[in-house]
Amino acid sequence: MPVLASHRKPRSTRPHSPAVGVTTAAIASVTLLSTQSAQAAPAPPKPTVEEIQKKVDDLYRQAGTATQEYNRAKESTDQQRRKVDRILDDVAKRTDAINESRRALGSYAAAQYRAGAVGPTAALIFADSPQQYFDQTHLMDRLSERQHSAVADYEGKRAEAAKQRAEATKSLESLTESQATLRTSKQNVQRKLAEARTLLARLTAEEKARLAELERKRQAEARRKAEEQAKAEAAAAAKAAAEAERRRQEEAAKEQPEPPATGGTSDSTYAAKAEKALAFARNQIGKPYVWGATGPSSYDCSGLTQAAWKAAGVELPRTTWDQVEAGTRVATADLLPGDLVFFYDDISHVGLYIGGGKMIHAPKPGANVREESIYYMPIYGSVRPA
């Protein structure tokens, strides 16, 4: 008997989809992690102590620049406030004058009203005598002239008061702008100083020791340069003294009086003023640097130089940017005690030269007024202020 063909369909093998899905997801995850690992940027290298020192120095310099901006804004604000006060006082006085003129006009108007209530014929009839009528008429004519004058005076005062009020409004707007600039400058100073403090606070003990060593080397190099200048100044002074003595002897041999000293800022007048400025500056040594301060308990750099020369009777502007224009430019090799030495390309620092390559200055936040080599910072230029 032939074998009958089976009508049942063969069992098919179905793939296990969940297992394949898990495997695919796992592969995708591994691939994604590998891609992310490959694309992740390496951590930036930690800055060296030298780089940190440079960054901190730059932040202090920027804070010095911002301090000068603050000083300029504060000076402008103070000037605007004084101007506004003067204008407002003047407006008040003019208002009083207008009120007085208004009262005078009121009395004239009342007199005119009373006179206008009676006609000329009735006034003549009711007058005690013709002479009384003519006297009253003359008086009213005079009142009319005075009234015209009073009206003109009133209008003039009112126009002037309106002009003053407009000027006051404009000055108040300028004052508001100056105050906004002042706030911005103050915030800039505080932000730069906070950045510097944060950088220094992150240093390890070893890094702080390294930073201190770098500072000692920097100070030593600045002192070396100052000593070189001191030697050069001493040699120049000796040469000048020898030349003066030679001329004195020649004049004595000729039995002629010694010629008077030539004028200029290097004569005794400048030296006397400079000594007063230096004496004041020496008395401030040890007082703290505070940005925006002008004494007497603390100073910033330009506040100290301004106060020192003020003690010598010389008025200097408030900021380094203005002080550098307040005198005669001199070369570093020609510096005399009392001269102002400015630093950095942005002229953000100043010190008072004392001779021998040194100065007295208010250095930076956290430091006190002190003597230091002028070569501690890059020199911009120097000025003889008197």
Side-chain angles (χ1 to χ4, degrees), residues 16 57 85 110 118 125 129 155 171 188 212 215 240 246 254 256 281 286 290 347 355 369:
H16 299 288
D57 287 345
D85 289 342
V118 180
I125 294 173
S129 66
E155 291 297 334
S171 295
N188 288 341
E215 179 65 17
R246 182 187 65 78
K254 296 177 182 178
Q256 293 180 359
V290 174
I347 323 176
V369 176

Side-chain angles (χ1 to χ4, degrees), residues 364-385:
K364 60 185 179 181
N368 296 332
V369 176
R370 66 192 183 201
E371 289 187 8
E372 195 156 48
S373 168
I374 62 173
Y375 296 101
Y376 181 74
M377 295 168 284
I379 296 174
Y380 171 84
S382 304
V383 164
R384 191 158 297 154

Side-chain angles (χ1 to χ4, degrees), residues 7-181:
H7 295 287
R8 299 175 62 186
K9 295 177 66 177
R11 181 180 298 176
S12 61
T13 59
R14 297 176 63 187
H16 299 288
S17 298
V20 173
V22 171
T23 304
T24 304
I27 293 173
S29 299
V30 171
T31 303
L32 179 61
L33 290 173
S34 300
T35 303
Q36 289 177 341
S37 299
Q39 293 178 349
K46 185 177 181 180
T48 64
V49 175
E50 289 81 1
E51 290 172 338
I52 292 174
Q53 182 191 44
K54 183 178 179 180
K55 179 64 175 177
V56 170
D57 287 345
D58 189 54
L59 285 170
Y60 277 131
R61 182 193 59 76
Q62 292 177 34
T65 302
T67 297
Q68 296 307 312
E69 292 172 349
Y70 170 85
N71 292 339
R72 176 175 285 179
K74 186 175 186 302
E75 187 175 42
S76 176
T77 299
D78 292 342
Q79 290 173 350
Q80 286 294 332
R81 184 177 290 110
R82 288 192 295 269
K83 182 178 180 181
V84 168
D85 289 342
R86 286 195 304 269
I87 293 174
L88 292 178
D89 287 343
D90 193 39
V91 168
K93 292 176 182 178
R94 291 183 184 278
T95 300
D96 290 340
I98 289 174
N99 291 335
E100 184 63 31
S101 296
R102 187 181 288 114
R103 284 191 291 269
L105 286 177
S107 64
Y108 292 147
Q112 188 179 38
Y113 175 79
R114 289 193 298 269
V118 180
T121 303
L124 177 59
I125 294 173
F126 291 116
D128 293 337
S129 66
Q131 185 63 44
Q132 183 187 30
Y133 168 77
F134 289 116
D135 289 343
Q136 289 177 347
T137 302
H138 180 65
L139 175 61
M140 292 309 300
D141 289 341
R142 292 182 60 189
L143 284 175
S144 180
E145 292 175 2
R146 290 181 182 179
Q147 182 179 4
H148 286 305
S149 176
V151 169
D153 181 60
Y154 172 76
E155 291 297 334
K157 288 178 178 177
R158 189 172 65 171
E160 188 63 29
K163 180 180 177 182
Q164 290 293 93
R165 281 193 294 270
E167 186 177 352
T169 300
K170 185 177 180 181
S171 295
L172 284 171
E173 291 174 353
S174 297
L175 176 59
T176 301
E177 292 176 1
S178 297
Q179 289 173 332
T181 303

Side-chain angles (χ1 to χ4, degrees), residues 62-337:
Q62 292 177 34
T65 302
T67 297
Q68 296 307 312
E69 292 172 349
Y70 170 85
N71 292 339
R72 176 175 285 179
K74 186 175 186 302
E75 187 175 42
S76 176
T77 299
D78 292 342
Q79 290 173 350
Q80 286 294 332
R81 184 177 290 110
R82 288 192 295 269
K83 182 178 180 181
V84 168
D85 289 342
R86 286 195 304 269
I87 293 174
L88 292 178
D89 287 343
D90 193 39
V91 168
K93 292 176 182 178
R94 291 183 184 278
T95 300
D96 290 340
I98 289 174
N99 291 335
E100 184 63 31
S101 296
R102 187 181 288 114
R103 284 191 291 269
L105 286 177
S107 64
Y108 292 147
Q112 188 179 38
Y113 175 79
R114 289 193 298 269
V118 180
T121 303
L124 177 59
I125 294 173
F126 291 116
D128 293 337
S129 66
Q131 185 63 44
Q132 183 187 30
Y133 168 77
F134 289 116
D135 289 343
Q136 289 177 347
T137 302
H138 180 65
L139 175 61
M140 292 309 300
D141 289 341
R142 292 182 60 189
L143 284 175
S144 180
E145 292 175 2
R146 290 181 182 179
Q147 182 179 4
H148 286 305
S149 176
V151 169
D153 181 60
Y154 172 76
E155 291 297 334
K157 288 178 178 177
R158 189 172 65 171
E160 188 63 29
K163 180 180 177 182
Q164 290 293 93
R165 281 193 294 270
E167 186 177 352
T169 300
K170 185 177 180 181
S171 295
L172 284 171
E173 291 174 353
S174 297
L175 176 59
T176 301
E177 292 176 1
S178 297
Q179 289 173 332
T181 303
L182 185 64
R183 284 192 297 270
T184 301
S185 299
K186 182 176 182 179
Q187 291 167 357
N188 288 341
V189 174
Q190 292 172 332
R191 185 173 63 254
K192 297 299 181 184
L193 294 180
E195 289 181 40
R197 286 192 294 266
T198 300
L199 280 175
L200 293 174
R202 291 174 179 170
L203 295 178
T204 64
E206 182 179 353
E207 288 171 334
K208 290 179 180 178
R210 171 63 178 159
L211 187 63
E213 177 62 24
L214 290 175
E215 179 65 17
R216 283 192 291 271
K217 289 182 179 180
R218 181 179 177 182
Q219 291 278 7
E221 177 62 15
R223 284 194 298 270
R224 183 188 66 78
K225 291 182 178 180
E227 289 169 359
E228 289 179 357
Q229 177 149 344
K231 291 177 181 178
E233 288 177 1
K239 182 178 179 181
E243 177 64 19
E245 176 62 18
R246 182 187 65 78
R247 290 178 60 190
R248 187 191 66 79
Q249 291 178 357
E250 289 179 355
E251 295 298 330
K254 296 177 182 178
E255 296 183 350
Q256 293 180 359
E258 185 175 348
T262 58
T265 55
S266 61
D267 62 9
S268 59
T269 301
Y270 178 76
K273 290 181 179 179
E275 185 53 42
K276 290 180 180 179
L278 290 171
F280 179 92
R282 290 189 182 97
N283 287 335
Q284 313 314 309
I285 290 177
K287 294 182 179 180
Y289 175 103
V290 174
W291 62 271
T294 57
S297 58
S298 58
Y299 297 89
D300 65 15
C301 64
S302 56
L304 176 63
T305 52
Q306 183 188 47
W309 270 104
K310 185 176 182 179
V314 177
E315 294 289 340
L316 291 180
R318 177 66 182 91
T319 69
T320 54
W321 303 320
D322 293 325
Q323 288 184 9
V324 76
E325 303 295 336
T328 305
R329 294 292 184 94
V330 292
T332 302
D334 298 327
L335 284 169
L336 292 175

